Amino acid sequence: KDIEYIRSSYYNKLEYTRFSSSVGKFVGFTEYGVKNAEYWNNNPSILSNMKAQKEGYCLNNIQIKYDNAL
């Protein structure tokens, strides 16, 4: 399936971190974001929680969104 869960964090319209389910980890875009991404990627409970969001949110709602689009 081509479903991807993305969670981005912004401050002052600048994206500093992003979690992508296709990558499977956090990526930092600023100095502050890199530090946060390193911390979150080294914490297995945070990573497993974010990976579960795809199944918990996306896969449960995809049929509703698909039906509404048609």
Side-chain angles (χ1 to χ4, degrees), residues 4-64:
E4 182 178 8
Y5 175 75
I6 298 174
R7 179 179 171 191
S8 299
S9 300
Y10 291 87
Y11 181 75
N12 280 345
K13 300 181 184 179
L14 178 66
E15 182 178 24
Y16 63 93
T17 57
R18 178 188 302 165
F19 176 84
S20 173
S21 63
S22 64
V23 177
K25 65 178 185 174
F26 288 91
V27 178
F29 298 105
T30 64
E31 184 179 345
Y32 177 70
V34 169
K35 289 179 184 178
N36 281 317
E38 287 176 8
Y39 174 76
W40 294 333
N41 288 332
N42 290 326
N43 189 332
S45 64
I46 293 175
L47 273 183
S48 63
N49 182 25
M50 294 305 293
K51 290 176 183 177
Q53 291 296 317
K54 178 179 176 182
E55 295 175 16
Y57 181 75
C58 297
L59 297 179
N60 287 332
N61 292 312
I62 189 64
Q63 192 62 43
I64 296 168

